[in-house]
Amino acid sequence: MSYMGKVLRINLTAKGVKTEPLNEKDARDYMGGAGLGMKLFYNEKIKPGIDPFSEENKVVMATGFLCATTCPVAARVACITKSPLSFGVTYSNVGGFFPDEFKKTGHDAVIIEGKSEKPVYVYIKDDKVSFKDAAPIWGLNTADSQHYIKEILKDQTVRPFVIGPAGENLVRYGSIIAEKRASGRKGVGAVFGSKNLKGIVVKGSKSVKYADEKGFQEVVKKIAKAFQDSPTLYPKFGNFGTAGNVENCIAKGQMPGPNFIDPADEKYLSIGAQKNIEYRARRYACYLCPIRCGQVRVVKSGKYAGWATEGPEFETLFSLGSGIGVTDPCFIIAADRVCDDLGMDTVSAGVCIGFAMELYEKGILTKDDCDGFDLKFGNDDAAFKLLYKIAYRDGFGDLLAEGVRRATKRIGKDSEKYAMHVKGLEPPGYDPRTCKSMGLNYMTSYTGADHSRGYPPQEIFGAHHKVPWEVDPYSWDRKAELTIYNQDVGGACKDCSMFCTFAYRNALIPANLHIKYFTELWKTATGFDVTEEDIPKVGQRYNNLAHALLLKEGFTRKDDYLPERLMTEPHKIGPGKGQVMDRENCEKLLDEFYTLRGWDKNGIPKREKLVELGMDYVAEDLGLKETEKIGE
Amino acid sequence: MVAVKIQSMFDFVEIFGQPEVKIDVKENTSIKDLLELLINQYGEKLKEKMIDPKTGDVFEHLEILCNGRNIKFLQGNDTNLREGDSVTIFVPIGGGSL
């Protein structure tokens, strides 16, 4: 089967290494990637309430059953840990070339535990694991770190996955970088930093085995055909990349303007794909990807001349563009590169700066509070300098390095009203007031305000999305059901198989081929006797397991709400003028969501639901009684 | 007559010559009438991009918005245009970073 059958355990405190067999039932129940990683994380029984930066926190990195096979766009790895932003379990993932190389070392996953006394990086070369002194590269940015690791190891073919100064300095949204690709969000890089772990470096020579190789290759051919048949994937998406979403979302009033006060208007078309293509030097693809959506962009004149980056992606065009009132694409190209080099999430960094700008404009923060910066919306010079101050926790940057939620505790003065976050995670580039399922997803995703879990393509890319049904983004109708569909089915097909979300959205789900093809891939790769009914079940188990971990941490219904602004301030301009996610409708959506999930009105799963999913152990852990026995 | 704006994106810009063109149409012109008018004006190139030869209808993957709202959630092809309306024609592409 296409699992390697082994899980590596690395203890940074004792510099110990163990190899454990992959539990086949876990693989069958949770497929791989985020699902399998979540189960491995759950198995660790980490004590609730621990500080995410403590030695007791762990990081699980898990690939999927498709990684290192011939299936395109599936070479990704999931990183699971307790987030320093949300203080709940979280998940971030990365593509590029690291994941495939990692799996070829002969491991499906790695569990990283403990804390190194001194900075280290871990080199995994097939079965051999060594702890390397990271002192010579500590403090270096992510590009230089990767360069010198290859120099030190005298091997240009190794694949490093490293943090930069932001992760080292425990910026709560530090990321981990492989080449120029980021496991960007939710602070996984800061957890590496807290463990004095500069990175993981891999080199593998092993290959996967298939249960039914001929059958598998037939499905891969069908996937390739679906890519070709997609009216949007080639050449449009490949040519413009994710930046194409700027034009789309501005037209529909879905892209946020400065700190979500109003939607981005037409002046922000200056940061869209049609302008950005003028800066494109070349295109880039992750391992075994025929789409090549990555855009390498270069600034050749003006004050940002000389800066180049692989990106910016759509979310960054929001967070460091419209979200802070900047219309200059050259600034965003430079700022994206700065964040990648510093190893810092562009989304949280941008939203934190947008938050500070609004507080400054409202007089809640003064120039003195902001280290002398005239922090008005649109001040790109100040934003540029702030990125460095955040990464090095210098002065005012130290406050923003905490994320908006924690920053409000220090600022006080009603600043919470302007803090955009759910469960401590800053939102990406979709304004929920004009895409209600995205809003409910922000509310209920275990990760917080996250577009990557439960993304509703039906609301954003509208026209050709009729699966599971056609959706008016402004309507409330069946949005709880739709959100669960995308969290569970999308969760299995993307997060657990680790298939690229863009190919899934552009080619498979619109053609209604996703459940069929992922079932066939899973069956032929692994030999598991699975049916199409297993796909949503994998997603349900994955999301319920993550939810159970949040419950153990003390999360309740009160954590499942949007920021006040999005519930009380309707859009004043744009096509969605008057649209809001008002509290009354949010309550109704939550009630419906919980009921459909098989949870009670407080979000506690019913024992029967967990038993139905084969998750009796979770019911036991949560101390759940059968419904009829409750109250006895 | 009423003045409406046609906004286009990506490959449609090449056909219209610019991202935004203004056009005067008769009162009570519907989206269907407008599309016919545009095809008459811009010819085969536009028709190829817009009309599915298999069905004779507008391609499923094409997004047609009137003032930012997909016409499917208004009155579809029968949506009547009013003075100052903005019609956007494009194929939605994109995604979010991971």
Side-chain angles (χ1 to χ4, degrees), chain A residues 389-606:
Chain A
K389 288 178 86 71
I390 292 170
Y392 289 95
R393 284 189 172 271
D394 174 27
F396 184 58
D398 182 51
L399 178 73
L400 298 185
E402 290 293 291
V404 294
R405 181 170 68 176
R406 289 171 68 90
T408 62
K409 309 290 179 212
R410 275 160 62 177
I411 299 166
K413 303 179 199 169
D414 258 358
S415 56
E416 175 63 29
K417 271 171 64 178
Y418 310 103
M420 297 296 117
H421 73 89
V422 179
K423 298 182 179 68
L425 181 69
E426 293 79 11
Y430 304 92
D431 189 325
R433 290 169 287 194
T434 42
C435 38
K436 305 290 196 295
S437 177
M438 186 67 92
L440 180 61
N441 183 55
Y442 284 180
M443 292 158 70
T444 56
S445 169
Y446 68 87
T447 46
D450 188 351
H451 64 294
S452 300
R453 320 276 72 74
Y455 187 106
Q458 305 86 353
E459 285 190 334
I460 309 300
F461 302 111
H464 63 301
H465 278 277
K466 294 184 168 56
V467 179
W469 51 80
E470 199 168 84
V471 164
D472 178 351
Y474 294 5
S475 157
W476 298 94
D477 187 39
R478 296 181 77 186
K479 289 299 169 76
E481 205 179 339
L482 180 72
T483 305
I484 290 172
Y485 182 90
N486 286 319
Q487 287 181 353
D488 289 350
V489 175
C493 296
K494 300 185 291 115
D495 302 353
C496 300
S497 81
M498 300 310 291
F499 195 83
C500 168
T501 188
F502 308 141
Y504 171 80
R505 279 180 216 154
N506 277 287
L508 296 187
I509 187 170
N512 202 15
L513 294 169
H514 51 314
I515 294 178
K516 179 176 163 52
Y517 285 0
F518 282 106
T519 308
E520 290 177 7
L521 285 171
W522 199 16
K523 195 170 180 169
T524 52
T526 65
F528 288 157
D529 183 23
V530 289
T531 68
E532 291 186 17
E533 288 172 7
D534 285 297
I535 298 292
K537 274 194 183 160
V538 165
Q540 284 185 53
R541 286 190 200 102
Y542 157 55
N543 282 304
N544 273 284
L545 194 69
H547 184 66
L549 284 168
L550 293 193
L551 293 174
K552 286 184 179 191
E553 290 282 359
F555 283 63
T556 65
R557 180 176 175 127
K558 73 173 170 41
D559 295 296
D560 288 351
Y561 289 91
L562 290 169
E564 186 180 322
R565 161 165 291 154
L566 305 179
M567 294 194 291
T568 58
E569 298 177 22
H571 277 192
K572 296 186 287 300
I573 57 167
K577 190 175 171 183
Q579 290 292 318
V580 69
M581 279 205 66
D582 63 282
R583 184 173 281 276
E584 190 183 338
N585 272 306
C586 284
E587 296 286 5
K588 279 187 200 161
L589 271 189
L590 266 189
D591 285 341
E592 195 185 344
F593 178 93
Y594 288 172
T595 303
L596 290 168
R597 273 253 176 256
W599 301 350
D600 71 13
K601 64 179 172 30
N602 296 312
I604 311 292
K606 292 180 180 161

